[in-house]
Structure formats: C-alpha cells, structure tokens
Amino acid sequence: MIVPCIISGQEIVNKDTTFPVFSHKEPETALHHFSYFTVNEDNIKSIADNAKKGFKQWSEVSISKKVEIFNKFIEILKSKREEFINVHTEIGGPGWFANVNIDGIIGQVQEYIGCLSNSEGELFHSEHNEVAITLRQPIGPVLSISPWNAPVILGGRSVLAPLAAGCSVIAKSSEKSPKALYLLIKYLLEAGIPKDTVQLIHLRPEDNPPFIDGLLATGAIRKLNFTGSTAVGKKISTVAAKYLVPCLLELGGKNISIVREDADLTKAVPKITWGAWAHMGQICMSTDKVFVHESIYDEFKEKLIPVAKEMVKDPDFAINQRDTLGRNKVVQLVDDALAKGASIVFGDYSKSDIETKNVLSPLILENVTPDMEFYSTESFGPIYALEKFSDIDSLVEEINSGDYGLKTSIWSSNVLSAINVAKKIECGGIHINNITVHDEPHLPHGGVKSSGSGRFNSRWGINEFSYIKTITADY
C-alpha cells in the first residue's frame, strides 16, 4: 500500500516519490510506503492558498452544520474501529492502547461538539461607548504536527482543536505512522468538512525543516501545534519565532511519582509500575522517577518485586520498541547509569540480548545520581528509577529545579495535604493517588518549562486557536 497525501480533497499518489514505513519487529522490513510531498516553493504556495480558502469555507458553515459533520465523523469512527486498531497495532501499539486511542478520539469529538454552542463573547460596560463586546475569533490556518506513538488520538486532537475553533488545518504526519492520520483526514472529509479546510501531507525526515520554514514564510499559517520531543520542539519554535507564528507545544516529560509515608502501597506499587512500563514506556506521560519516603522505602521495594515479576509476564512487555533509534537511546541511558554506579532493582539487562531480540525488558533502577544521563533525560522506554526522600519541601524544590513539567503523581492517604503539595509543584498535571498517564477530553492537557506551552482539549483547546476581538459601539 502507498499512503497518499490529501490536498484540496484529492488523494495524491506519486509512485516515484515514496518513502518506507518500517516494521517495529523487523526494522529493515517495510510495512508499507507513503507518497511524500515534494517540497518546493510552488507546491508550498498551493497548499497555503488552499488553507486560506478552506478557512473562509469553514467560517461560512453554520454551527448546526458543524455539529452534523462532527456527529457523522463519530459514526464513521465507530464503524471503522477495527481499521484504526489495526493501524496502531501494526506499528507496535498494544491492543489495549489502540482501543484507548479510538475511544479517546471519539471522546474528543463529542467534547468539541458540546463546546460549539458555548458563548462566543461577552458584553462589557464602557465609559466612552454605549456597548463594548469581546468576541472569540478563529486565528486562521493552522499547521498541525503529530507524533507516531499514539497516532490516532494525538493526530486527531491536533486537527480537531483548530477545526472546533473555526480554523483550517494542514496536518503533517509522522513518517513512522502516516496511515492513522490519513484515515482521520479521509473520514473528516467524508463526514462533510470542506475540501480545502483539512489537508494532509507526508514528508521524508530531511524535508521537514525546509517545508516548515517555507510554509511559515508564506504568511498563511497563523498558529502551529506540535506534539513530540523537546529537542525538535525547540527547533520548530525557533523557526516559528522568526515569522512571529505562535506555537502550542506538547513536549517531553521526566515524569515523577512521589510516594509519601502515609501512602497505600498496595495500590501505589502496581499502578506506578504500570504507569512507567505501559506501551513499553513510549508515552510522553510515562513515569521515569519515583521518590519514596525513606521510612517506607524498604517496604516499597519488598512489595515491588513480586508485583513486577507478575506484571512482566504480560505479553505486551515483549513487544519491540518502535525502532532501533529509540531502543538504542534507552540502552545508552542504562549503560551510562550502570557504569556510574546505579544498580538494578528488578529486570534482566543484557545489551547483546536486546540487540539480538530487539526487545527491551522492563527495568527498575536505584542509586541514580545527577551525573547520570538518565537522571535528567526522558527515557521513552520501560524503565524507572527509585530514589529516597526525607523532606517534602526539599523534594519539591528539587523537582522544580528540573527542566520538565508535564506530569506528576502524589501518593498519600492525606488528600488535602497532597493537594497543598501539588499547588507548589511546577507541572501541567498532577494526579493524586493515580498514575502519571492521564488525559481526558474535558480536562486541559499540557506542560510547563521544557515540557511545552499551551493546552489541548475542550474549551482550552479551542481558545488556543482563537484570538479575542474587542468591538465598541456608540450611537
């Protein structure tokens, strides 16, 4: 199969410009190919002009018609459920996570339908006019860039939020999972979205920089949203800044669990471990570091070993990492930590076995120190580190001194005390007595510091792709 681009409602396939999408099981074997967009000034101008036309087309669609289109999209998503599950599992996503993706995107559409009838403005007193009004207005055409690891829900939200705000969208897929976004755009058009309002392009990795720079240089794009690594997010935001294009960025996280002395360990131990290992750690919200109060540290470890032994029997933990690049990064972090004095609490680690079998067995480390790369680097693998703490205020200071701020969990039987601690932590989402992997369609999602800026989901997502206009009137 060759996955096409979709430009102005037309599926575009050029057999002379294709790029392979490799298997997670056999990194040298292609699952299929995609037809990549040829980056040149004329082609970029064409899709930019389409996006401007699409913005106008979408602005002329009534709210009732938009509700009808989104409801039709939900019907299609439900009827194509197995198709979406397959596009996720074929790139290494476990079955449960594939279901989470399709359920999540349906929930996103439902939430945005509810938001469409919200007030678009407010009425204010004016000292110098009879009336003053503020209106929420769509910001204009948007460039949406989504990652491979949860391609249905992350690809979908990158498009749905600007659409719900009233914007047109040029969506760029990940070269590791182009089929999911292709299906989403195809079915949005089938549901009735105007042909120039949503477009899809695929790129070879080396074409990303000239494409983004060239598209932003046209002046057509009024906002960019990107979900992915912090390193790439910094590069993209630097280019966007050159053209004064604002960005919504959902980036990496060095996510943390805090286990206080009054925590219910029977609940905390399995949930924390699952939250670190799920999808082989390839979730931006996965737990990387677990701080356990020194008074219960030994008890935590004692309960941890049998839980981990049982959990690792799940066949999902024998799934390969998405590619050798990600796998090798985790290996490098573990090798560096072990060489500098870290120790393995649980798991079998053999670099040669990993390279032979292409599977990373889940690991738990301890004695990880600041001079080790793992201490401050997102692993994106099935691994987390234990660390003792004695004073919660000192721990909060340490956490806040770090670069990231996406997700934190706090485990405590004193919920009010935990809420007070949560208020002090610089983090986009804090979950008390639950895991760091948490995202719901009606709640804002995003990070601070090197974990990004802005929020997806619900009215917060709509507001990200809007601006406020002030109108005054007098007789």
Side-chain angles (χ1 to χ4, degrees), residues 18-43:
T18 63
F19 191 85
V21 179
F22 292 106
S23 167
H24 64 292
K25 296 178 181 178
E26 300 174 357
E28 303 301 321
T29 300
L31 293 170
H32 47 262
H33 292 73
F34 62 79
S35 182
Y36 60 83
F37 181 81
T38 301
V39 177
N40 60 48
E41 186 175 347
D42 288 343
N43 286 346

Side-chain angles (χ1 to χ4, degrees), residues 52 78 195 306 308 327 353 379:
K52 288 189 285 188
K78 289 179 177 179
K195 66 184 180 68
R327 180 200 72 188
D353 282 353
S379 69

Side-chain angles (χ1 to χ4, degrees), residues 48-59:
D49 288 344
N50 293 342
K52 288 189 285 188
K53 287 187 292 184
F55 177 54
K56 186 174 186 298
Q57 292 166 358
W58 190 230
S59 68

Side-chain angles (χ1 to χ4, degrees), residues 216-372:
L216 298 187
T218 67
I221 299 301
R222 301 300 173 84
K223 188 152 188 178
L224 180 153
N225 78 78
F226 169 78
T227 300
S229 73
T230 296
V232 175
K234 287 180 178 179
K235 293 178 181 178
I236 289 175
S237 60
T238 298
V239 176
K242 182 170 67 171
Y243 298 105
L244 295 180
V245 175
C247 297
L248 166 53
L249 303 170
E250 202 263 82
L251 308 177
K254 191 69 179 174
N255 305 302
I256 290 167
S257 283
I258 301 170
V259 186
R260 303 197 68 183
E261 58 268 41
D262 57 354
D264 179 352
L265 297 186
T266 303
K267 180 180 180 181
V269 168
K271 283 183 171 288
I272 288 171
T273 303
W274 189 88
W277 291 353
H279 192 13
M280 298 300 283
Q282 298 170 125
I283 303 173
C284 62
M285 301 174 284
S286 297
T287 302
D288 260 9
K289 297 170 74 174
V290 180
F291 291 94
V292 183
H293 192 270
E294 60 183 8
S295 66
I296 59 168
Y297 187 83
D298 291 339
E299 182 183 359
F300 186 95
K301 282 177 61 177
E302 182 181 335
K303 292 183 180 296
L304 173 61
I305 302 304
V307 167
K309 283 182 178 178
E310 187 62 30
M311 190 177 295
V312 82
K313 294 177 183 178
D314 189 325
D316 283 350
F317 296 119
I319 296 176
N320 310 82
Q321 299 300 109
R322 178 63 186 93
D323 57 19
T324 55
L325 184 66
R327 180 200 72 188
N328 292 342
K329 175 189 173 183
V330 179
V331 169
Q332 177 184 328
L333 293 175
V334 175
D335 281 349
D336 176 74
L338 295 179
K340 294 175 179 175
S343 53
I344 295 175
V345 173
F346 175 84
D348 297 319
Y349 180 72
S350 167
K351 189 173 180 179
S352 60
D353 282 353
I354 291 170
E355 291 173 347
T356 301
K357 300 175 183 178
N358 196 32
V359 175
L360 274 168
S361 297
L363 287 174
I364 303 170
L365 303 178
E366 66 178 347
N367 301 319
V368 173
T369 54
D371 63 317
M372 301 173 188

Side-chain angles (χ1 to χ4, degrees), residues 10-147:
Q10 299 296 312
E11 296 195 356
I12 309 297
V13 174
N14 184 340
K15 293 181 180 179
D16 295 326
T17 55
T18 63
F19 191 85
V21 179
F22 292 106
S23 167
H24 64 292
K25 296 178 181 178
E26 300 174 357
E28 303 301 321
T29 300
L31 293 170
H32 47 262
H33 292 73
F34 62 79
S35 182
Y36 60 83
F37 181 81
T38 301
V39 177
N40 60 48
E41 186 175 347
D42 288 343
N43 286 346
I44 288 175
K45 184 179 183 301
S46 177
I47 62 169
D49 288 344
N50 293 342
K52 288 189 285 188
K53 287 187 292 184
F55 177 54
K56 186 174 186 298
Q57 292 166 358
W58 190 230
S59 68
E60 294 171 352
V61 176
S62 68
I63 294 296
S64 60
K65 183 62 177 178
K66 288 178 179 177
V67 170
E68 179 185 321
I69 290 170
F70 282 147
N71 276 320
K72 177 64 175 177
F73 185 49
I74 290 174
E75 291 176 12
I76 296 171
L77 290 173
K78 289 179 177 179
S79 70
K80 303 293 185 179
R81 183 182 189 90
E82 289 305 314
E83 187 174 24
F84 280 103
I85 288 173
N86 289 339
V87 300
H88 199 284
T89 56
E90 74 176 4
I91 60 168
W96 68 267
F97 196 51
N99 279 281
V100 165
N101 266 249
I102 186 63
D103 289 336
I105 200 59
I106 290 171
Q108 289 267 347
V109 185
Q110 291 169 333
E111 177 64 21
Y112 282 126
I113 288 173
C115 292
L116 289 177
S117 59
N118 289 350
S119 170
E120 293 187 350
E122 297 178 82
L123 178 66
F124 288 89
H125 165 75
S126 172
E127 290 290 337
H128 307 292
N129 301 276
E130 287 298 316
V131 67
I133 301 169
T134 61
L135 291 178
R136 183 197 67 77
Q137 301 272 269
I139 198 167
V142 171
L143 171 61
S144 297
I145 305 173
S146 55

